[in-house]
Every structure is written in structure tokens, then in C-alpha cells.
Amino acid sequence: MTLTVKPIAILDDNYAWFLRDEATGMTAVMDAAVVEPIADFIAAEGGRLDWLLITHHHGDHIAGIAELAARTGAKVAGNAADARRLPKLDVAVKPGDLFQFGKSEARIIDTPGHTRGHISWYFANGEALFCGDTLFAAGCGRLLEGNAEEMYASLAKLAVLPDETRVYCGHEYTLSNVRFALSVEPENLPLQAFGELAKSLREKGEPTLPTTLATEHAINPFLHARDVAHFAAMRSAKDSFR
Ligand code: ZN
Ligand code: FE
């Protein structure tokens, strides 16, 4: 394993993710939406910040980037197709690109649905998937710009990655996702067990993430949708679920 990943819990329920390529010491933060907590975290990790990486343009994923880049000199990388609504990019990536991060390498996957320009960053051999607001533990992102067809296709692209892939999502939405998932699949035993585990982690103030694709295949009702229409119905049911 060459990539170390740590959560930085920010805002109400967001995660910025700290990455370090252990072979070279290169570091990055995915979705740096705030300044001080992330600057403090970087200082505690030795003060090095090479990259600020972006999944999508929402403020709760990018609002700290310009300031952090100015302070640290870190370079910014995000989707070329969304450049006009992202902070100034030093490297504009495209779906299919390989992004070199020290001795690690991420493949850029186009995952529209939550937003039109949403991308995911996949580090090979299942080491890590940063999927922003596309796939969540036991859930998926809202369709804010894209449609059900796009999100269904995006989730399908992520679902074929290796089972052992560790999935680093943009939010701590797990408990509310589990409540909805159990309303769809009340008899799902792995889902019930996952819900209990998630609850005890949250009671201790710990993240429920990362999840893995193997876990998500077992527990995530959105990955069990038969077709786009089934997925669309489930997604709109979740939108109004209380
Ligand atoms: Zn978002
Ligand atoms: Fe978000």
C-alpha cells in the first residue's frame, strides 16, 4: 500500500480527505471546502501540501481552495469541462486521464448526475475511490443537475471497480441513508449489521467511512436497482423520505 488517507471532518457533515503517497511524501486534500481546519490539519501532518483536488463545483467541496492554494503554493486539479465554475486550475483533468500523484496514480472517471461536471478519482488496485457526492455508504447523491439515467450510468461505472476498493465519500450521510435503505430492504441482514456498526461508530464520534465496494454491493439499494426507471423511483422516494 502506498497511499495513506485520513478524514478531515468539516462543516456539518462533509469530509475533506487528506492523501499522502508514502513512497514520495507527496500530499493532497480532496474537496477542501474550508481553510483553517484544513491548514491546521496539514500543519499537524508536517506542513506539506502539494495538491488540492476537486470532485465537483459545489461550495461545500471547493470554498477553501483558492485561499489554501495562495497560502501553501499547492496546485489545483479538477475537471476541465467544469473549469469555468471551479477555482483556477493548474491542471485541468479529463475523464480517462491518469493523474500522477507521487508513485501513486489516479484514473479520472466521469460521474455526472449530482452535477454535470462531477468526476471521481480512482487509485488503482482498489486502494481508494474518491467519489464526492456520487456514491455514498448505503446511498447515492441527489440529482441536482443530472438526470436518473446519468446517475445510474455513473454508479454502474463505479460498481465494476474491484470489490476491495475503499470508497471515500464526500459526506457523513450514512445513518440517514441506512434508515431509507432499510425501508427498501428490511430483510437485508448485511444492511442491518452495517447499520448497527455505523450507529456505534457515530456514537463514538468516528466516521463510518471509508466503505468498500463489496459492502456497498451487499447493502446499497441504489446498486440493486433493476433498471433506470427503478433507480429513478428509488431516488425520488429518498428525496421525500423522512
Ligand atoms: Zn455536492
Ligand atoms: Fe456535497
PDB file of all heavy atoms in Angstrom, residues 14 56 60-61 114 133 171, ligand 2:
ATOM      1  N   ASN A  14     -19.526  17.211   6.100  1.00  0.00           N
ATOM      2  CA  ASN A  14     -18.621  16.959   4.969  1.00  0.00           C
ATOM      3  C   ASN A  14     -17.320  16.319   5.423  1.00  0.00           C
ATOM      4  O   ASN A  14     -16.883  16.521   6.555  1.00  0.00           O
ATOM      5  CB  ASN A  14     -18.243  18.276   4.272  1.00  0.00           C
ATOM      6  CG  ASN A  14     -19.324  18.784   3.343  1.00  0.00           C
ATOM      7  OD1 ASN A  14     -20.351  19.284   3.790  1.00  0.00           O
ATOM      8  ND2 ASN A  14     -19.094  18.651   2.048  1.00  0.00           N
ATOM      9  N   HIS A  56     -16.264  18.111  -7.524  1.00  0.00           N
ATOM     10  CA  HIS A  56     -17.302  18.899  -8.214  1.00  0.00           C
ATOM     11  C   HIS A  56     -17.399  20.299  -7.623  1.00  0.00           C
ATOM     12  O   HIS A  56     -16.803  20.594  -6.592  1.00  0.00           O
ATOM     13  CB  HIS A  56     -18.648  18.186  -8.189  1.00  0.00           C
ATOM     14  CG  HIS A  56     -19.300  18.061  -6.853  1.00  0.00           C
ATOM     15  ND1 HIS A  56     -18.778  17.291  -5.845  1.00  0.00           N
ATOM     16  CD2 HIS A  56     -20.444  18.598  -6.350  1.00  0.00           C
ATOM     17  CE1 HIS A  56     -19.580  17.355  -4.789  1.00  0.00           C
ATOM     18  NE2 HIS A  56     -20.594  18.153  -5.059  1.00  0.00           N
ATOM     19  N   ASP A  60     -19.522  23.450  -0.800  1.00  0.00           N
ATOM     20  CA  ASP A  60     -19.114  22.586   0.307  1.00  0.00           C
ATOM     21  C   ASP A  60     -18.033  21.585  -0.109  1.00  0.00           C
ATOM     22  O   ASP A  60     -17.689  20.673   0.652  1.00  0.00           O
ATOM     23  CB  ASP A  60     -20.326  21.869   0.931  1.00  0.00           C
ATOM     24  CG  ASP A  60     -20.990  20.891  -0.016  1.00  0.00           C
ATOM     25  OD1 ASP A  60     -21.197  21.254  -1.196  1.00  0.00           O
ATOM     26  OD2 ASP A  60     -21.311  19.754   0.401  1.00  0.00           O
ATOM     27  N   HIS A  61     -17.481  21.772  -1.332  1.00  0.00           N
ATOM     28  CA  HIS A  61     -16.352  20.941  -1.776  1.00  0.00           C
ATOM     29  C   HIS A  61     -15.164  21.785  -2.253  1.00  0.00           C
ATOM     30  O   HIS A  61     -14.071  21.256  -2.407  1.00  0.00           O
ATOM     31  CB  HIS A  61     -16.806  19.975  -2.883  1.00  0.00           C
ATOM     32  CG  HIS A  61     -17.845  19.013  -2.392  1.00  0.00           C
ATOM     33  ND1 HIS A  61     -17.574  17.718  -2.056  1.00  0.00           N
ATOM     34  CD2 HIS A  61     -19.157  19.204  -2.101  1.00  0.00           C
ATOM     35  CE1 HIS A  61     -18.685  17.127  -1.593  1.00  0.00           C
ATOM     36  NE2 HIS A  61     -19.650  18.016  -1.617  1.00  0.00           N
ATOM     37  N   HIS A 114     -25.124  14.066  -9.967  1.00  0.00           N
ATOM     38  CA  HIS A 114     -25.271  15.062  -8.905  1.00  0.00           C
ATOM     39  C   HIS A 114     -25.041  16.448  -9.490  1.00  0.00           C
ATOM     40  O   HIS A 114     -25.844  17.372  -9.287  1.00  0.00           O
ATOM     41  CB  HIS A 114     -24.276  14.743  -7.798  1.00  0.00           C
ATOM     42  CG  HIS A 114     -24.280  15.717  -6.652  1.00  0.00           C
ATOM     43  ND1 HIS A 114     -25.336  15.836  -5.790  1.00  0.00           N
ATOM     44  CD2 HIS A 114     -23.354  16.624  -6.241  1.00  0.00           C
ATOM     45  CE1 HIS A 114     -25.063  16.777  -4.889  1.00  0.00           C
ATOM     46  NE2 HIS A 114     -23.867  17.266  -5.138  1.00  0.00           N
ATOM     47  N   ASP A 133     -19.999  13.383  -4.229  1.00  0.00           N
ATOM     48  CA  ASP A 133     -21.423  13.220  -3.919  1.00  0.00           C
ATOM     49  C   ASP A 133     -22.119  12.315  -4.939  1.00  0.00           C
ATOM     50  O   ASP A 133     -23.272  12.540  -5.314  1.00  0.00           O
ATOM     51  CB  ASP A 133     -22.113  14.587  -3.863  1.00  0.00           C
ATOM     52  CG  ASP A 133     -21.637  15.432  -2.680  1.00  0.00           C
ATOM     53  OD1 ASP A 133     -20.804  14.942  -1.894  1.00  0.00           O
ATOM     54  OD2 ASP A 133     -22.084  16.584  -2.565  1.00  0.00           O
ATOM     55  N   HIS A 171     -19.615  13.002   2.109  1.00  0.00           N
ATOM     56  CA  HIS A 171     -20.421  13.352   3.290  1.00  0.00           C
ATOM     57  C   HIS A 171     -20.607  12.175   4.237  1.00  0.00           C
ATOM     58  O   HIS A 171     -20.611  11.015   3.811  1.00  0.00           O
ATOM     59  CB  HIS A 171     -21.835  13.812   2.867  1.00  0.00           C
ATOM     60  CG  HIS A 171     -21.870  15.131   2.182  1.00  0.00           C
ATOM     61  ND1 HIS A 171     -22.141  16.315   2.854  1.00  0.00           N
ATOM     62  CD2 HIS A 171     -21.672  15.476   0.883  1.00  0.00           C
ATOM     63  CE1 HIS A 171     -22.110  17.323   1.981  1.00  0.00           C
ATOM     64  NE2 HIS A 171     -21.825  16.837   0.777  1.00  0.00           N
TER      65      HIS A 171
HETATM   66 FE    FE B   2     -21.671  17.983  -1.049  1.00  0.00          FE
END
